Amino acid sequence: FGLAALIKLPKFFAIAIPATLLMLTAMAFWPDAVGFQFTAWRMAVAVMAGLGLGMAGCALQALFRNPMASPDISGATSASVLCIIFALQVWPDASRVDLFLWALVGAGIVVTILFIAMRYQLRVSQLALLGIAISAWCGTVASMVLTFGAGAASVTVLWLTGTTYGADAQIGWLLLAVTLPCCLLLLALARHLDLFTLGEDWGLHLGQPLMRLRLLIILLVVLLTAAAVAAVGAIAFVGLLSPHILRLLGQTRHWVLLLGSGLVGAWFLLLADGLGRTLIAPFEIASGILVSIIGGLYFICLILLGYRRP
């Protein structure tokens, strides 16, 4: 990947440190008796969405062998947001559960397109370009819809920015039902992700069903991304930043990278949710805005300090 480890941590500490940070952050922002159920479910949704995005980003970086790959590159984020925007334009009073299902419809469209592309034996680099093209097209259409249909513009902007506001028990259970099995399946595929980093054609020499593995990994990534978008909106940087941190800590095995990236993503989004609720209370800052600010500063510092040439 071209990423040099800043420090080599044992595998146990690479998982224990983000898990400890996650618990400490949850304790710091734990809700009081007033509004306990609302805030507790909101925190749970932030943790599950961050877990899914972190693991999805790690899997895509292994599949594409590119440290700059993120869940956005699959096209799932843009397609899910576009379906949500269309739904809000037609049904402004749509419930969060309805929007969750519409986001999964967008994910299904992306998976269908990528499956057709794989049938034509496209390489991984070509699949990445296809995902970027899908994202660009969906982003353009979303902007047009918002421009000419301003009826629900204020609500749809929140989905484009990303926020944990309004998450409830229904969304929490739906998100858990999608995120948990997908994350467990990705962990089961950790050994295959280790082999993907050796090159695109390793499966031809080992007799592995390469196309099926790619399709399964992309399917899991798209489902995790769509579920997170349906719950908290289009939050960037979580799936990109989390695997970066694990690799800078010297981790290369994907069972550690997947689990650690999920924990870092969960902690990152929970921290953004807590800060957004408390920094200028009683007003709120959208979680997606804080994530973009922190993630952007992280990569600026990483480029200026961590990758400078001697």
Side-chain angles (χ1 to χ4, degrees):
F1 287 106
L3 285 172
L6 297 180
I7 183 174
K8 180 71 173 179
L9 279 184
K11 296 179 178 62
F12 171 78
F13 289 105
I15 295 174
I17 290 175
T20 303
L21 289 173
L22 179 62
M23 288 188 292
L24 292 175
T25 304
M27 292 170 60
F29 294 108
W30 194 251
D32 53 21
V34 180
F36 174 82
Q37 184 176 3
F38 170 77
T39 306
W41 272 112
R42 178 172 170 171
M43 293 172 64
V45 167
V47 168
M48 288 186 286
L51 177 72
L53 288 174
M55 293 186 70
C58 180
L60 269 189
Q61 290 183 11
L63 183 64
F64 292 157
R65 292 194 297 141
N66 187 340
M68 297 308 294
S70 70
D72 304 333
I73 205 175
S74 67
T77 299
S78 299
S80 298
V81 170
L82 180 60
C83 284
I84 289 173
I85 290 175
F86 273 129
L88 286 172
Q89 295 295 326
V90 179
W91 301 288
D93 297 328
S95 66
R96 293 287 293 251
V97 175
D98 294 332
L99 298 180
F100 193 99
L101 297 176
W102 274 103
L104 294 182
V105 169
I109 294 172
V110 171
V111 169
T112 302
I113 295 173
L114 293 177
F115 175 76
I116 294 172
M118 285 185 173
R119 299 286 293 180
Y120 286 98
Q121 302 292 322
L122 293 186
R123 300 179 70 85
V124 169
S125 57
Q126 294 170 317
L127 290 175
L129 289 175
L130 179 61
I132 293 172
I134 294 172
S135 298
W137 186 86
C138 290
T140 303
V141 175
S143 299
M144 292 174 59
V145 172
L146 287 175
T147 301
F148 296 107
S154 60
V155 179
T156 53
V157 166
L158 288 177
W159 287 99
L160 293 172
T161 305
T163 179
T164 51
Y165 182 79
D168 54 16
Q170 279 187 318
I171 292 299
W173 287 117
L174 284 172
L175 183 59
L176 179 64
V178 176
T179 301
L180 183 60
C182 289
C183 288
L184 291 176
L185 282 172
L186 278 181
L187 284 173
L189 294 171
R191 181 175 172 273
H192 295 288
L193 290 173
D194 286 334
L195 294 174
F196 269 117
T197 60
L198 300 177
E200 187 174 343
D201 298 325
W202 63 267
L204 298 178
H205 304 289
L206 298 179
Q208 296 292 323
L210 195 59
M211 190 179 80
R212 292 181 183 177
L213 285 172
R214 287 177 184 162
L215 181 61
L216 178 58
I217 292 170
I218 289 178
L219 174 63
L220 295 174
V221 167
V222 168
L223 284 176
L224 285 171
T225 304
V229 170
V232 297
I235 293 183
F237 281 110
V238 175
L240 178 62
L241 183 146
S242 301
H244 262 260
I245 293 177
L246 267 292
R247 288 196 176 91
L248 291 177
L249 296 179
Q251 303 307 311
T252 56
R253 297 294 301 274
H254 272 86
W255 72 268
V256 181
L257 285 170
L258 284 168
L259 191 54
S261 297
L263 290 171
V264 170
W267 168 71
F268 191 23
L269 196 49
L270 181 64
L271 178 65
D273 171 72
L275 292 176
R277 286 189 284 111
T278 57
L279 281 179
I280 57 172
F283 303 102
E284 289 196 18
I285 304 174
S287 304
I289 294 175
L290 287 175
V291 168
S292 297
I293 292 173
I294 297 172
L297 289 175
Y298 167 81
F299 279 104
I300 290 173
C301 293
L302 193 66
I303 292 171
L304 295 180
L305 301 177
Y307 292 155
R308 62 183 179 183
R309 296 181 182 274

